[in-house]
Amino acid sequence: MDVMGSIVYPIAGLLGLYGFVSLASLLWEGIDRKLVARMQRRVGPPLIQPFYDFLKLMSKETIVPNTANYMFRAAPVLALATAIALLAYTPMGFTPILASKGDVIVFIYLLALISFFKIVGAISSGSPYAKIGAAREATIMVSREPAMMLAIFAIMWRLGKLGVDKPFSMGIFYQHNIWEIGTPMSFVGAIILLYVFCVWLASEIEVGFFNIPDAEEEIAEGLLVEYSGRYLALLKLTKALKAYIAASLVVAIFFPWGIAGHLTGLSADVVNLLFHTLKVFILLFVVGSVFRAVTGRLKITQAVDFLWKNVFLASLVGSLLLAMEVIM
Amino acid sequence: MRAPILVPTVLRNLVRKPATNLFPKTEPVPVPENFRGQLKYNVDKCVGCRMCVTVCPAGVFVYLPDIRKVALWTGRCVYCAQCVDVCPTGALQMSDEFLLASYDNYDDKFIPLKEEKIEEIRKKLEEQKKAKEKAKAEKAKAEKKA
């Protein structure tokens, strides 16, 4: 058995990615806060403010409510662990470390599991505000995922028709992409699916319309109301990682082009990773910062209506258009 | 969806200069004329008429009958300036100072007339009184002789 190739290199790669993505995603949070501040004609905090926040939260006293059970302590750790594990399946400018046949299911599963752990942690705190937040998070989670799943499965199936060695793997975006199909209908379908994925990304990172589960003004921070100190730091880091990962998915599907050119091996991967990070930042700027700056939140009922009646329908139409010439 | 109308505004703002005053690095926003800042007390002008004690809504002033002055603690001041308006000698004035944060409620800057100063005035008054009495006594003696 090839110990180096199958165990040591993937672990080293995962650790490296984890280090890089932690820094990049927290840095993005700082850039995001700065940009939104400038949009509102404020100066905003320094770019590395999220790092200060993280260190401060880590050093603060952690208070655990009397009513909390053991999942309250376990959930933030599990959520972060899930996010780190997810990095091994996230396309970031190159084929994911553990890419294999059908790992799109693992990707979707782990992404949903992060929200699930947040919900479990919140309902374990014993605070009714956290429970309301958890109920909202669960509601919005089941409303947003079907549109994304339908779209991503349709895209992967369609790309699989073009001939790939590992169908339904997160790596296939770097072999064929959605714009290569080439028919006008598939082009329109891809545009519609881009809209679907942008809305999905906004609801995944809970900005703009979808800032519902943590609604500070209505339900006192919602999910995170009882968390403090170290656990809150872990959850904030998880949130930043998740934003980067979710945006990575959208970038990989719609804008997978690299700039490595004739470079090969590790240097190509590093260049592609940096370029990919730039694309992620641009996408998060459009979907996160601008969207956050120009809109308020919806009510939970309006958000569910919007996700099912608008986004899911768009996903259905886009998928059908994409699949048209294969079906007919 | 009415949201997109804000997008041009927001993007225009992005390239504009922030409309804020970076206070600790720059001077604070200048105060207007007749700004009501911290209350200043001039002991020498004070004649002890007790008008400020009557008019103050916050109970800043305490009248000291033996020296005929007022003691005051501006930590409780509400900056209404009624004492300034009513003071016949102009011993009370509003200043421009507004950066008054302190770790101590009884900081020196909140108490314009200090204990030592009160003692000093008291001694001075007593000396004056003694001198007067002495003068009186001498005068009486002189009258007796005559």
Side-chain angles (χ1 to χ4, degrees):
Chain A
M1 198 179 123
D2 180 11
V3 178
M4 286 302 274
S6 64
I7 298 175
V8 177
Y9 285 151
I11 289 177
L14 182 57
L15 287 177
L17 270 186
Y18 170 50
F20 173 77
V21 173
S22 306
L23 295 178
S25 59
L26 283 179
L27 179 68
W28 168 253
E29 215 183 296
I31 298 172
D32 170 65
R33 287 173 66 178
K34 193 92 185 166
L35 288 172
V36 171
R38 291 302 295 271
M39 288 175 199
Q40 299 167 346
R41 305 212 62 189
R42 293 183 286 117
V43 176
L47 284 183
I48 52 170
Q49 186 64 43
F51 297 95
Y52 295 143
D53 289 350
F54 183 78
L55 292 177
K56 178 163 183 179
L57 283 176
M58 283 308 258
S59 62
K60 290 214 111 178
E61 186 191 0
T62 306
I63 294 164
V64 177
N66 284 337
T67 47
N69 62 26
Y70 69 97
M71 273 314 282
F72 181 80
R73 293 153 177 275
V77 180
L78 290 171
L80 182 61
T82 312
I84 297 169
L86 187 52
L87 289 174
Y89 297 94
T90 310
M92 288 192 244
F94 45 82
T95 306
I97 301 169
L98 297 182
S100 62
K101 226 195 295 182
D103 65 10
V104 61
I105 306 268
V106 180
F107 184 91
I108 293 171
Y109 172 78
L110 289 179
L111 199 56
L113 196 61
I114 298 175
S115 300
F116 175 74
F117 278 133
K118 272 174 75 182
I119 292 169
V120 169
I123 56 177
S124 304
S125 71
S127 158
Y129 288 109
K131 284 178 187 170
I132 293 173
R136 291 178 173 195
E137 170 92 19
T139 315
I140 207 162
M141 188 170 86
V142 297
S143 306
R144 75 172 174 236
E145 300 298 349
M148 181 274 265
M149 282 158 76
L150 177 64
I152 197 171
F153 288 144
I155 291 167
M156 288 204 151
W157 170 76
R158 187 66 189 81
L159 294 182
K161 293 278 173 196
L162 299 174
V164 290
D165 44 2
K166 287 178 185 164
F168 290 95
S169 155
M170 298 305 285
I172 68 169
F173 303 118
Y174 298 111
Q175 295 176 359
H176 294 289
N177 68 54
I178 191 168
W179 310 104
E180 275 174 33
I181 302 168
T183 61
M185 262 201 271
S186 77
F187 185 76
V188 174
I191 297 285
I192 293 175
L193 289 186
L194 180 59
Y195 161 74
V196 170
F197 269 94
C198 284
V199 177
W200 169 78
L201 177 60
S203 67
E204 187 75 42
I205 61 181
E206 291 165 6
V207 293
F209 284 173
F210 305 103
N211 178 19
I212 299 168
D214 314 327
E216 295 94 353
E217 299 84 0
E218 296 163 38
I219 48 168
E221 293 280 341
L223 278 181
L224 304 178
V225 63
E226 292 293 345
Y227 277 108
S228 57
R230 234 173 301 137
Y231 297 133
L232 188 57
L234 292 186
L235 284 171
K236 296 252 181 203
L237 179 62
T238 309
K239 189 174 174 157
L241 286 178
K242 191 176 147 190
Y244 186 95
I245 291 168
S248 284
L249 175 69
V250 183
V251 166
I253 295 173
F254 292 97
F255 317 104
W257 309 287
I259 52 163
H262 55 273
L263 291 172
T264 49
L266 193 62
S267 55
D269 283 351
V270 170
V271 170
N272 276 335
L273 178 61
L274 292 178
F275 186 56
H276 173 83
T277 306
L278 181 69
K279 287 185 284 186
V280 163
F281 283 6
I282 292 170
L283 183 72
L284 282 175
F285 170 71
V286 175
V287 175
S289 311
V290 175
F291 192 48
R292 179 156 85 90
V294 299
T295 59
R297 74 172 69 90
L298 297 179
K299 289 181 190 167
I300 183 70
T301 49
Q302 291 170 328
V304 170
D305 266 13
F306 179 66
L307 286 169
W308 282 107
K309 292 181 184 165
N310 183 325
V311 182
F312 185 74
L313 272 184
S315 172
L316 203 61
V317 171
S319 303
L320 282 175
L321 284 175
L322 200 66
M324 205 60 114
E325 76 270 27
V326 176
I327 301 175
M328 304 255 270
Chain B
M1 300 288 149
R2 197 95 50 75
I5 59 162
L6 272 176
V7 172
T9 313
V10 152
L11 293 182
R12 212 176 313 125
N13 282 346
L14 198 56
V15 293
R16 278 183 174 170
K17 258 182 75 179
T20 49
N21 181 34
L22 297 170
F23 164 55
K25 286 184 205 154
T26 61
E27 288 294 304
V29 178
V31 297
E33 234 177 283
N34 296 329
F35 177 77
R36 301 206 296 259
Q38 195 185 26
L39 186 62
K40 294 289 175 205
Y41 178 48
N42 187 341
V43 197
D44 300 331
K45 280 192 189 172
C46 182
V47 292
C49 64
R50 277 176 289 172
M51 294 288 266
C52 48
V53 185
T54 318
V55 85
C56 182
V60 168
F61 302 95
V62 174
Y63 183 59
L64 303 174
D66 53 344
I67 58 170
R68 283 189 292 157
K69 305 280 181 196
V70 286
L72 59 163
W73 175 43
T74 58
R76 189 178 255 187
C77 182
V78 296
Y79 304 91
C80 65
Q82 296 199 63
C83 52
V84 176
D85 294 341
V86 85
C87 185
T89 60
L92 291 164
Q93 291 298 333
M94 290 317 235
S95 66
D96 281 350
E97 289 165 39
F98 60 93
L99 300 170
L100 300 172
S102 170
Y103 285 107
D104 181 10
N105 266 343
Y106 300 102
D107 199 320
D108 282 350
K109 67 181 166 189
F110 298 131
I111 303 171
L113 184 57
K114 313 228 170 31
E115 204 60 46
E116 309 90 74
K117 181 82 178 162
I118 295 174
E119 265 326 296
E120 203 180 285
I121 297 173
R122 198 170 280 149
K123 258 183 205 155
K124 217 163 130 195
L125 277 179
E126 260 164 41
E127 268 165 30
Q128 273 177 10
K129 218 176 170 184
K130 264 182 197 162
K132 231 183 216 172
E133 268 168 21
K134 216 177 173 184
K136 227 183 188 174
E138 268 169 24
K139 211 178 170 188
K141 240 184 208 169
E143 269 172 17
K144 239 182 194 174
K145 262 187 187 172

